[in-house]
Amino acid sequence: MNIKKAFGLGLIALSLFTGCAQKEKFISNQTALYWHNEIYKHIDQMDLDSADDKFTSLEVEHPNSPYIPIDLLILAQAHQNIGEYQLAEFYITEYEKRYANRYEKEWCEYKKAKIRFLSFTNAYTNQKELQNTLNLVNSVLINYPNSIYRYELNTMKKKLELSILVFNNNIAKLYNKLDKPKAAKIYEQNITTPYIPPKIPWYKRLFYW
């Protein structure tokens, strides 16, 4: 194949790609079922950015569509599955505010607490978020004392409390190493319960104090 022919084929391919992209970009005025199916298609392809865009189109063009509450929950789970926890919580919150009945609100509050809990990849370096998540878990337990999720919530609560204890202990050790006993004492005062530190693989300990 000579250079001119290859160049010509390249231009044709580029124009076809650009044309398809532009066609996709300007699609509008579709049925609710069309957007609903597009959301599922892009989720199946693991293209959640496009799925989010299609959901926006569904909401704009069909604000009263019965597909919207379904797709909010599907998108929440899809984002949770790939570790995009903030977006997952956003969709659950939207569902709760707009569609949840009094029975579903319990599930929504549990789900948000679980998403927050799952978001910790390094539980010992974000004390504020740890405490906020613990407060959220406690709030769900207080508001729904007989919840069917209370056993899982109590497990999350214990793990969060342990993480906070470990965090305080690690900070206290760091300040002692830096010869700052007053600062260390502040964190040592927060260690009110004896505990056995969790076993952390050596390669993860490199990133902890």
Side-chain angles (χ1 to χ4, degrees):
M1 182 182 294
N2 59 45
I3 294 176
K4 289 184 178 180
K5 187 175 181 180
F7 181 72
L9 289 173
L11 286 176
I12 292 171
L14 180 61
S15 72
L16 287 173
F17 176 79
T18 304
C20 290
Q22 290 176 343
K23 184 179 179 181
E24 176 72 9
K25 182 177 180 180
F26 293 110
I27 288 177
S28 61
N29 299 320
Q30 301 297 316
T31 65
L33 180 59
Y34 172 86
W35 293 122
H36 175 68
N37 288 336
E38 284 292 294
I39 291 166
Y40 271 74
K41 181 184 80 175
H42 288 294
I43 289 174
D44 189 55
Q45 295 170 348
M46 298 300 292
D47 183 5
L48 296 194
D49 286 341
S50 294
D52 292 335
D53 290 341
K54 300 302 181 287
F55 178 76
T56 300
S57 296
L58 172 62
E59 281 199 300
V60 169
E61 296 185 11
H62 305 279
N64 298 317
S65 170
Y67 292 120
I68 291 176
I70 299 169
D71 291 339
L72 281 169
L73 296 177
I74 293 297
L75 284 165
Q77 189 61 51
H79 281 288
Q80 180 183 321
N81 289 345
I82 63 170
E84 293 182 345
Y85 297 110
Q86 288 185 330
L87 280 170
E89 185 176 348
F90 166 79
Y91 281 117
I92 291 293
T93 301
E94 285 299 301
Y95 178 85
E96 181 179 13
K97 287 192 300 186
R98 295 157 60 179
Y99 300 105
N101 58 40
R102 64 190 182 93
Y103 301 106
E104 292 174 317
K105 283 184 181 295
E106 176 186 339
W107 176 83
C108 289
E109 290 300 306
Y110 150 76
K111 188 67 173 176
K112 287 191 291 184
K114 184 172 183 178
I115 288 169
R116 291 270 193 97
F117 177 80
L118 292 174
S119 69
F120 291 108
T121 55
N122 182 350
Y124 309 129
T125 58
N126 197 330
Q127 187 182 30
K128 182 178 179 181
E129 285 303 315
L130 276 171
Q131 190 60 56
N132 288 342
T133 303
L134 178 59
N135 292 341
L136 179 58
V137 170
N138 283 330
S139 175
V140 180
L141 286 168
I142 291 169
N143 292 330
Y144 304 97
N146 299 315
S147 172
I148 60 173
Y149 311 109
R150 64 186 182 277
Y151 300 109
E152 187 176 358
L153 287 163
N154 275 315
T155 298
M156 289 190 282
K157 176 181 177 178
K158 293 301 181 184
K159 289 184 176 181
L160 288 164
E161 288 173 341
L162 176 59
S163 294
I164 291 171
L165 286 171
V166 172
F167 182 95
N168 287 327
N169 185 57
N170 288 338
I171 293 291
K173 285 182 178 178
L174 176 64
Y175 278 125
N176 281 321
K177 287 181 180 178
L178 296 173
D179 195 25
K180 296 183 177 180
K182 290 184 178 180
K185 189 175 181 180
I186 294 173
Y187 286 90
E188 289 169 348
Q189 289 173 345
N190 293 325
I191 306 171
T192 57
T193 306
Y195 70 94
I196 300 174
K199 292 183 179 179
I200 302 172
W202 65 268
Y203 55 88
K204 287 189 176 182
R205 286 201 300 269
L206 294 174
F207 301 98
Y208 298 147
W209 291 301

